Amino acid sequence: MCRLFGCRTAAPGGVAHELLHGANALRVQSREHPDGWGLGWYAGRVPQVVRSLTAAHGDEDFEEVSSFVTATTILAHIRKASVGKIALENTHPFEWGPWLFAHNGTISEWENYRAAIEAGIDPAFRDELRGETDSERCFLLFLTRLSRRCDPASASFADAAAALAETANTVARTCGSEAATTFLATDGRLMLACRRGRTLYVSAAEQERGGRVAWFAVASEDPRLHEPTPPGRSPWREVQPDTIVGVDSDLRLGHAAL
């Protein structure tokens, strides 16, 4: 199991409260998820990713990066290793082209299903495999499904949501309905997450003209717990199981069923 957080905003901003200072910030959660962390953001369309094998709560680099990163798209993950050893190649977020991907959950008895999942990955993406995790293979399966619909570098929210749903449902059919596939994916423009087998929370600004929002955030747990909602922010609400939520490249809210 792991924990994840993502934020997409109209103007560059930071997320130090959600990562460091909140009552249930990722740094706090890392005491139970100590097997490394990763933080990604974008310079234009190019992902910038920092990973570490040190528990976030004891890592000065996590505090420094979390405090000073300012961007319109940020994705963070802390790991509790289940499939694959503690190693950088197994540390989320995984990266390909403009895409970053993180996973909260695990596939039980993974080695019984690994070959079948890998068989569903396009050979061009299979060559990108670096680690041992079920999560990385789910990412490459997502890219395979996305590339059948469009150029992955210019995907629409609808295409990305459909590919994410196909990925989660392929894993369920192959590995059993108990497989936990709560995913978070972004290409720096789109951000979308699906809930299956683990909790997921979302918070977003009030919709403006045209359905746009100034910011959108998603997390595996409520980062604030019982803290009062600060002025100008919206409360976190739980996403229903088997649901995809996110924003398109214009920060219009979107949702779909798995």
Side-chain angles (χ1 to χ4, degrees), residues 41-242:
W41 66 98
Y42 286 79
R45 292 294 309 283
V46 181
Q48 313 294 306
V49 181
V50 177
R51 300 181 183 89
S52 172
L53 303 182
T54 304
H57 67 267
D59 194 332
E60 292 180 358
D61 287 343
F62 181 78
E63 181 169 2
E64 181 176 358
V65 175
S66 299
S67 296
F68 293 109
V69 164
T70 300
T72 57
T73 305
I74 299 173
L75 186 154
H77 184 275
I78 55 174
R79 186 176 184 227
K80 184 175 183 179
S82 54
V83 176
K85 63 181 179 290
I86 300 171
L88 287 177
E89 63 267 24
N90 293 329
T91 303
H92 312 217
F94 300 102
E95 178 182 355
W96 180 88
W99 283 95
L100 297 176
F101 184 94
H103 176 201
N104 178 27
T106 192
I107 298 173
S108 299
E109 301 179 354
W110 165 242
E111 288 302 325
N112 293 338
Y113 306 112
R114 177 174 177 164
I117 294 297
E118 288 182 352
I121 299 171
D122 186 278
F125 291 119
R126 204 180 307 147
D127 290 342
E128 299 292 324
L129 278 170
R130 297 293 179 268
E132 307 159 309
T133 64
D134 50 355
S135 306
E136 184 184 13
R137 285 150 180 82
C138 289
F139 177 37
L140 297 180
L141 184 60
F142 164 71
L143 291 172
T144 296
R145 295 301 181 125
L146 186 62
S147 67
R148 293 176 182 174
R149 294 177 167 273
C150 63
D151 176 357
S154 56
S156 67
F157 180 87
D159 283 334
L164 201 65
E166 288 175 3
T167 300
N169 291 329
T170 296
V171 172
R173 287 193 302 270
T174 305
C175 308
S177 60
E178 297 304 311
T181 51
T182 294
F183 299 137
L184 172 60
T186 182
D187 67 349
R189 306 173 305 118
L190 318 173
M191 178 172 282
L192 62 165
C194 66
R195 178 185 177 185
R196 176 169 284 169
R198 297 289 185 268
T199 56
L200 189 68
Y201 290 80
V202 66
S203 181
E206 291 292 328
Q207 288 183 289
E208 302 169 354
R209 181 174 298 180
R212 294 177 175 86
V213 295
W215 53 268
F216 166 88
V218 63
S220 50
E221 293 191 2
D222 184 342
R224 302 183 189 278
L225 286 179
H226 303 299
E227 292 177 321
T229 302
R233 305 296 283 182
S234 299
W236 289 84
R237 59 180 178 81
E238 189 169 357
V239 176
Q240 291 298 308
D242 294 332

Side-chain angles (χ1 to χ4, degrees), residues 244-255:
I244 297 172
V245 295
V247 287
D248 67 10
S249 58
D250 293 318
L251 280 169
R252 289 187 289 255
L253 294 173
H255 68 276

